[in-house]
Amino acid sequence: MDGGSTIAITSDSDIIVARELGRRVGKELDFSLTDLTIIATVISELARNIIIFAKHGDMIIETIRHGKKVGIVITAVDKGPGIPDIFLAMQDGYSTGKGLGLGLPGVRRLMDEFEIFSETGKGTRVSVKKWLM
Amino acid sequence: MEVPILKQSDYLIATIQAALTDEDLLKLHYALVEQVGKHRSKGVIIDVTALDIMDSFATRTLRSLVHMVKLRGADTVICGIQPEVAFTMVQLGLTLEGISTALDLEEGLALLTTSNNKKRKI
């Protein structure tokens, strides 16, 4: 991984800053307009979870190279309350009322790779990747 | 950045011009609900052409805005959702069910005028 940037997320205007950075990094990698929109939306969702549940945290945006493959990695880290039931958090909740409504299932659908670590009382780390096809 | 609200005959037109913070979006919410009463507006158009994303917060806020405006007696049309934004919203599981949408401002105004005329006939 290279060229990583970290943005401290402490208020809703930081969400826009993170989103714009993600879009810029994605554009440099030559992602399509649809992919850039997806990247910006995913950053928005993850950064908003930080604000709502942990009050503050970091968004890390990096580029990744794996052989000939190039991609973007977006990581959201916080020291908030953590997610007690990750299984429940990964259920689609917007229309059905199931799940926690964190938007995580949608984020997983939009990206190529999705990882989540969370410990109650210690924090949450969500890391997602999108490869340039 | 605050969203300007224009009054055009029976309608209010709010054109979102740049990425909005959550606070801006909430301000728009309150301003529209209030101005619908002040101007006795029959309809509201929210033009989101310049919005490069619609995340869950924006969608939820717009949805509740439309319902509140409805309770104040006016219809809302959301116009100008960009193709990439529509694609991403659907993938993310965000919907605007029961909410009128239009391709652009012109279509949006036409939609409001038609539904308003129908109401008058009844």
XYZ file of all heavy atoms in Angstrom, chain A residues 12-13 15-16 19-20 23 33-34 36-38 40-42 44-45 48 51-52 92 94-95 101-103 105-107 109-110, chain B residues 18-24 51-58 60 63 83-95 97:
479
model
N -19.534 16.702 11.107
C -20.113 16.290 9.828
C -19.416 16.948 8.631
O -19.426 16.391 7.543
C -21.642 16.491 9.797
C -22.053 17.932 9.995
O -21.250 18.692 10.578
O -23.159 18.303 9.583
N -18.740 18.097 8.854
C -18.046 18.691 7.697
C -16.783 17.892 7.332
O -16.333 17.927 6.189
C -17.728 20.162 7.944
O -17.011 20.300 9.135
N -16.787 14.785 7.090
C -17.280 13.730 6.195
C -17.088 14.178 4.745
O -16.646 13.413 3.894
C -18.780 13.415 6.461
C -18.972 12.950 7.905
C -19.295 12.356 5.487
C -20.417 12.666 8.290
N -17.390 15.451 4.484
C -17.250 15.974 3.116
C -15.780 15.999 2.693
O -15.439 15.635 1.572
C -17.900 17.372 2.998
C -19.403 17.246 3.296
C -17.674 17.980 1.614
C -20.175 18.536 3.217
N -14.740 12.504 1.878
C -15.391 12.108 0.634
C -14.650 12.674 -0.577
O -14.403 11.982 -1.550
C -16.784 12.709 0.670
C -17.847 11.895 0.069
C -19.127 12.222 0.745
N -19.707 13.477 0.293
C -20.768 14.039 0.878
N -21.296 13.484 1.949
N -21.272 15.142 0.415
N -14.281 13.957 -0.460
C -13.592 14.609 -1.578
C -12.207 14.021 -1.801
O -11.774 13.853 -2.934
C -13.546 16.128 -1.366
C -14.843 16.759 -1.854
C -15.076 18.173 -1.372
O -14.175 18.749 -0.732
O -16.182 18.697 -1.634
N -12.579 10.689 -3.527
C -12.899 10.915 -4.934
C -11.632 11.286 -5.726
O -11.412 10.818 -6.838
C -13.921 12.050 -5.016
C -14.724 12.086 -6.268
C -15.742 13.184 -6.170
N -17.058 12.680 -5.811
C -17.918 12.170 -6.685
N -17.621 12.078 -7.946
N -19.088 11.747 -6.291
N -16.742 7.108 -13.288
C -17.590 8.033 -12.535
C -18.501 7.281 -11.564
O -18.706 7.700 -10.426
C -18.416 8.886 -13.505
C -19.233 10.019 -12.891
C -18.378 10.937 -12.039
C -19.927 10.825 -13.979
N -19.023 6.145 -12.004
C -19.883 5.341 -11.121
C -19.080 4.850 -9.914
O -19.533 4.950 -8.778
C -20.478 4.141 -11.883
O -21.219 4.650 -12.990
C -21.403 3.316 -11.004
N -16.402 6.200 -8.665
C -16.051 7.350 -7.824
C -17.240 7.712 -6.929
O -17.064 8.065 -5.757
C -15.658 8.553 -8.681
C -14.359 8.413 -9.478
C -14.131 9.658 -10.333
C -13.174 8.184 -8.557
N -18.445 7.604 -7.479
C -19.647 7.884 -6.697
C -19.808 6.856 -5.582
O -20.129 7.190 -4.443
C -20.887 7.880 -7.616
O -20.644 8.789 -8.688
C -22.143 8.316 -6.884
N -19.531 5.592 -5.942
C -19.603 4.515 -4.946
C -18.581 4.760 -3.833
O -18.915 4.693 -2.650
C -19.348 3.141 -5.627
C -20.572 2.764 -6.465
C -19.014 2.062 -4.609
C -20.380 1.541 -7.342
N -17.181 7.578 -2.863
C -17.572 8.733 -2.047
C -18.736 8.387 -1.116
O -18.772 8.809 0.043
C -17.940 9.910 -2.954
N -19.669 7.588 -1.620
C -20.837 7.226 -0.807
C -20.430 6.323 0.352
O -20.887 6.499 1.486
C -21.907 6.528 -1.683
O -22.156 7.337 -2.830
C -23.206 6.342 -0.922
N -19.553 5.370 0.061
C -19.080 4.451 1.098
C -18.336 5.225 2.192
O -18.552 5.004 3.387
C -18.178 3.356 0.464
C -17.332 2.649 1.507
C -19.036 2.361 -0.307
N -18.820 8.278 2.989
C -19.848 9.022 3.704
C -20.541 8.147 4.752
O -20.712 8.563 5.898
C -20.871 9.525 2.685
O -21.479 10.681 3.141
N -20.906 6.944 4.366
C -21.610 6.043 5.289
C -20.716 5.673 6.483
O -21.148 5.731 7.624
C -22.025 4.750 4.574
C -23.070 4.935 3.483
C -24.427 5.363 4.017
O -24.894 4.824 5.028
O -25.023 6.273 3.407
N -19.979 8.653 8.741
C -21.151 9.053 9.533
C -21.357 8.111 10.710
O -21.722 8.554 11.801
C -22.405 9.136 8.679
C -23.599 9.555 9.527
C -24.731 10.149 8.775
N -24.401 11.452 8.228
C -24.080 11.670 6.972
N -24.025 10.687 6.127
N -23.814 12.881 6.574
N -19.201 9.386 13.482
C -19.774 10.556 14.158
C -20.923 10.151 15.087
O -20.996 10.582 16.234
C -20.323 11.579 13.116
C -19.207 12.096 12.218
C -21.069 12.716 13.790
C -18.386 13.204 12.804
N -21.798 9.305 14.567
C -23.003 8.961 15.342
C -22.663 8.091 16.556
O -23.134 8.345 17.653
C -24.044 8.242 14.446
C -24.553 9.206 13.354
C -25.231 7.740 15.275
C -25.466 8.556 12.340
N -29.514 -6.638 6.339
C -30.066 -5.474 5.658
C -31.187 -4.881 6.497
O -32.146 -5.564 6.821
C -30.612 -5.895 4.292
C -29.884 -5.172 3.182
O -29.521 -4.008 3.406
O -29.671 -5.772 2.131
N -32.538 -1.403 6.099
C -33.227 -0.189 5.668
C -34.705 -0.395 5.411
O -35.536 0.359 5.858
C -32.558 0.373 4.417
C -31.311 1.099 4.764
C -30.079 0.620 4.378
C -31.376 2.261 5.531
C -28.925 1.275 4.732
C -30.230 2.917 5.883
C -29.005 2.426 5.483
O -27.874 3.079 5.836
N -35.023 -1.467 4.684
C -36.426 -1.636 4.316
C -37.137 -2.610 5.235
O -38.331 -2.528 5.434
C -36.520 -2.097 2.863
O -35.651 -3.174 2.654
N -29.178 -0.859 10.897
C -29.283 0.364 10.115
C -27.971 1.126 10.021
O -27.952 2.336 9.883
N -26.852 0.408 10.118
C -25.543 1.068 10.012
C -25.117 1.235 8.558
O -24.093 1.828 8.276
C -24.468 0.258 10.740
C -24.671 0.014 12.227
C -23.536 -0.834 12.777
C -24.736 1.327 12.974
N -25.875 0.640 7.663
C -25.540 0.754 6.244
C -24.424 -0.191 5.829
O -23.931 -0.123 4.705
N -24.339 -3.587 5.311
C -24.599 -4.529 4.216
C -24.526 -3.850 2.849
O -23.997 -4.426 1.897
C -26.029 -5.023 4.483
C -26.310 -4.693 5.887
C -25.482 -3.507 6.239
N -25.021 -2.627 2.772
C -24.982 -1.872 1.518
C -23.551 -1.555 1.122
O -23.162 -1.688 -0.036
N -22.742 -1.164 2.108
C -21.336 -0.859 1.854
C -20.633 -2.115 1.328
O -19.867 -2.054 0.376
C -20.652 -0.340 3.154
C -19.141 -0.327 3.015
C -21.175 1.050 3.495
N -21.984 -4.554 -0.313
C -22.446 -4.804 -1.694
C -21.733 -3.903 -2.703
O -21.474 -4.295 -3.825
C -23.951 -4.535 -1.802
C -24.822 -5.750 -1.590
C -26.230 -5.502 -2.116
N -26.891 -4.369 -1.496
C -27.524 -4.411 -0.333
N -27.574 -5.530 0.355
N -28.096 -3.340 0.163
N -21.436 -2.673 -2.273
C -20.846 -1.706 -3.194
C -19.354 -1.948 -3.446
O -18.804 -1.494 -4.437
C -21.028 -0.285 -2.656
C -22.433 0.325 -2.738
C -22.492 1.624 -1.965
C -22.838 0.567 -4.182
N -24.195 22.453 -4.019
C -22.913 21.822 -3.744
C -23.133 20.782 -2.659
O -24.239 20.665 -2.128
C -21.909 22.862 -3.279
N -22.071 20.048 -2.353
C -22.164 19.054 -1.287
C -22.641 19.737 -0.011
O -22.166 20.817 0.341
C -20.804 18.418 -1.068
N -23.599 19.123 0.655
C -24.168 19.730 1.849
C -23.691 19.011 3.102
O -23.588 17.788 3.101
C -25.699 19.622 1.807
C -26.429 20.373 0.712
C -27.923 20.154 0.867
C -26.111 21.852 0.804
N -23.437 19.777 4.152
C -23.191 19.126 5.431
C -24.549 18.699 5.983
O -25.597 19.145 5.512
C -22.529 20.086 6.433
O -23.433 21.172 6.673
C -21.215 20.627 5.917
N -24.515 17.841 6.982
C -25.766 17.372 7.589
C -26.558 18.564 8.105
O -27.783 18.602 8.016
C -25.462 16.429 8.757
C -24.694 15.205 8.287
O -24.468 15.089 7.073
O -24.328 14.382 9.136
N -25.826 19.531 8.651
C -26.475 20.708 9.226
C -27.207 21.510 8.145
O -28.337 21.951 8.360
C -25.414 21.571 9.902
C -25.964 22.407 11.017
C -24.917 23.391 11.519
O -23.730 23.024 11.558
O -25.310 24.522 11.837
N -26.562 21.689 6.983
C -27.209 22.409 5.864
C -28.505 21.726 5.458
O -29.511 22.377 5.178
C -26.288 22.436 4.629
C -25.022 23.229 4.868
O -25.053 24.151 5.701
O -24.011 22.909 4.225
N -25.893 17.327 -6.637
C -25.444 16.430 -5.563
C -24.693 15.241 -6.152
O -25.237 14.522 -6.974
C -26.638 15.897 -4.769
C -27.092 16.669 -3.538
C -28.047 15.795 -2.726
C -25.927 17.101 -2.672
N -23.442 15.070 -5.721
C -22.662 13.980 -6.311
C -22.863 12.656 -5.576
O -22.453 11.612 -6.079
C -21.178 14.345 -6.415
C -20.556 14.643 -5.063
O -21.298 14.722 -4.067
O -19.329 14.785 -5.012
N -23.466 12.711 -4.406
C -23.854 11.453 -3.752
C -25.145 11.660 -2.969
O -25.482 12.780 -2.583
C -22.780 10.901 -2.775
C -22.697 11.749 -1.494
C -21.415 10.766 -3.387
C -22.250 10.931 -0.313
N -25.861 10.575 -2.740
C -26.994 10.574 -1.809
C -26.767 9.393 -0.881
O -26.937 8.248 -1.292
C -28.315 10.379 -2.562
C -28.752 11.575 -3.369
S -30.037 12.502 -2.520
C -31.449 11.594 -3.040
N -26.346 9.688 0.334
C -26.110 8.591 1.265
C -27.360 8.359 2.109
O -28.410 8.953 1.854
C -24.875 8.886 2.125
C -25.039 10.172 2.924
O -26.135 10.758 2.905
O -24.066 10.586 3.563
N -27.242 7.473 3.101
C -28.439 7.119 3.866
C -28.981 8.324 4.635
O -30.190 8.499 4.744
C -28.156 5.957 4.810
O -27.069 6.251 5.637
N -28.077 9.174 5.129
C -28.549 10.350 5.872
C -29.323 11.304 4.960
O -30.415 11.761 5.308
C -27.363 11.080 6.523
C -27.783 12.292 7.300
C -28.248 12.172 8.603
C -27.744 13.558 6.724
C -28.662 13.280 9.318
C -28.157 14.672 7.431
C -28.613 14.542 8.731
N -28.763 11.587 3.794
C -29.433 12.497 2.848
C -30.790 11.935 2.428
O -31.786 12.666 2.375
C -28.549 12.722 1.629
N -32.684 9.747 4.057
C -33.609 9.770 5.191
C -34.137 11.181 5.424
O -35.322 11.392 5.660
C -32.865 9.272 6.432
C -33.750 8.580 7.427
C -32.951 7.771 8.439
N -31.765 8.430 8.925
C -30.542 7.893 8.909
N -30.371 6.702 8.413
N -29.506 8.549 9.383
N -36.569 12.152 2.715
C -37.819 11.426 2.888
C -38.676 12.075 3.983
O -39.869 12.301 3.801
C -37.510 9.971 3.247
C -38.477 8.985 2.597
C -38.260 7.594 3.134
N -37.065 6.970 2.597
C -36.264 6.169 3.309
N -36.514 5.912 4.570
N -35.211 5.638 2.744
N -27.405 9.661 -12.833
C -27.407 8.210 -13.048
C -26.515 7.427 -12.082
O -26.943 6.413 -11.541
C -26.922 8.047 -14.494
C -26.594 9.388 -15.014
C -27.134 10.411 -14.075
N -25.296 7.927 -11.839
C -24.383 7.201 -10.938
C -24.937 7.196 -9.526
O -24.764 6.243 -8.764
C -22.992 7.840 -10.861
C -22.360 8.274 -12.151
C -22.948 9.577 -12.654
O -22.959 10.582 -11.926
O -23.423 9.558 -13.804
N -25.590 8.323 -9.169
C -26.155 8.432 -7.816
C -27.306 7.433 -7.669
O -27.403 6.730 -6.655
C -26.630 9.877 -7.545
C -27.317 9.986 -6.198
C -25.443 10.844 -7.608
N -28.138 7.332 -8.702
C -29.267 6.387 -8.673
C -28.745 4.955 -8.537
O -29.232 4.174 -7.723
C -30.089 6.534 -9.955
N -27.720 4.646 -9.312
C -27.118 3.312 -9.285
C -26.634 2.974 -7.871
O -26.932 1.923 -7.315
C -25.950 3.287 -10.289
C -25.208 1.995 -10.338
C -25.641 0.971 -11.167
C -24.074 1.804 -9.564
C -24.945 -0.243 -11.209
C -23.375 0.608 -9.603
C -23.819 -0.415 -10.429
N -25.883 3.916 -7.280
C -25.305 3.685 -5.958
C -26.394 3.563 -4.891
O -26.315 2.710 -4.005
C -24.331 4.827 -5.603
O -23.420 4.987 -6.683
C -23.554 4.531 -4.344
N -27.418 4.403 -4.982
C -28.510 4.356 -3.998
C -29.177 2.985 -3.988
O -29.436 2.419 -2.933
C -29.578 5.414 -4.334
C -29.200 6.812 -3.933
S -30.454 7.986 -4.489
C -31.808 7.596 -3.366
N -29.443 2.460 -5.177
C -30.130 1.170 -5.262
C -29.249 0.063 -4.687
O -29.698 -0.770 -3.902
C -30.535 0.860 -6.718
C -31.048 -0.562 -6.848
C -31.604 1.843 -7.181
N -27.957 0.092 -5.027
C -27.029 -0.917 -4.508
C -26.939 -0.859 -2.989
O -26.801 -1.853 -2.316
C -25.632 -0.682 -5.079
C -25.514 -0.926 -6.546
C -25.243 -2.384 -6.835
O -26.157 -3.201 -6.831
N -23.997 -2.709 -7.065
N -27.018 0.363 -2.481
C -26.898 0.564 -1.039
C -28.200 0.193 -0.320
O -28.230 0.027 0.885
C -26.543 2.041 -0.790
C -25.855 2.440 0.493
C -24.613 1.614 0.736
C -25.464 3.912 0.444
N -29.276 0.059 -1.090
C -30.564 -0.306 -0.498
C -31.396 0.904 -0.110
O -32.296 0.807 0.709
N -31.066 2.069 -0.667
C -31.819 3.283 -0.347
C -32.923 3.503 -1.375
O -32.681 3.420 -2.564
C -30.888 4.496 -0.353
C -29.710 4.431 0.605
C -28.793 5.623 0.396
C -30.195 4.393 2.040
N -34.119 3.778 -0.888
C -35.224 4.008 -1.814
C -35.949 5.302 -1.457
O -35.847 5.791 -0.336
C -36.256 2.866 -1.762
O -36.712 2.759 -0.416
C -35.667 1.555 -2.217
N -39.363 5.451 -1.971
C -40.696 4.943 -2.277
C -41.788 5.931 -1.910
O -41.741 6.551 -0.849
C -40.938 3.638 -1.520
C -40.685 2.409 -2.380
C -40.608 1.165 -1.538
O -41.653 0.785 -1.002
O -39.505 0.616 -1.415
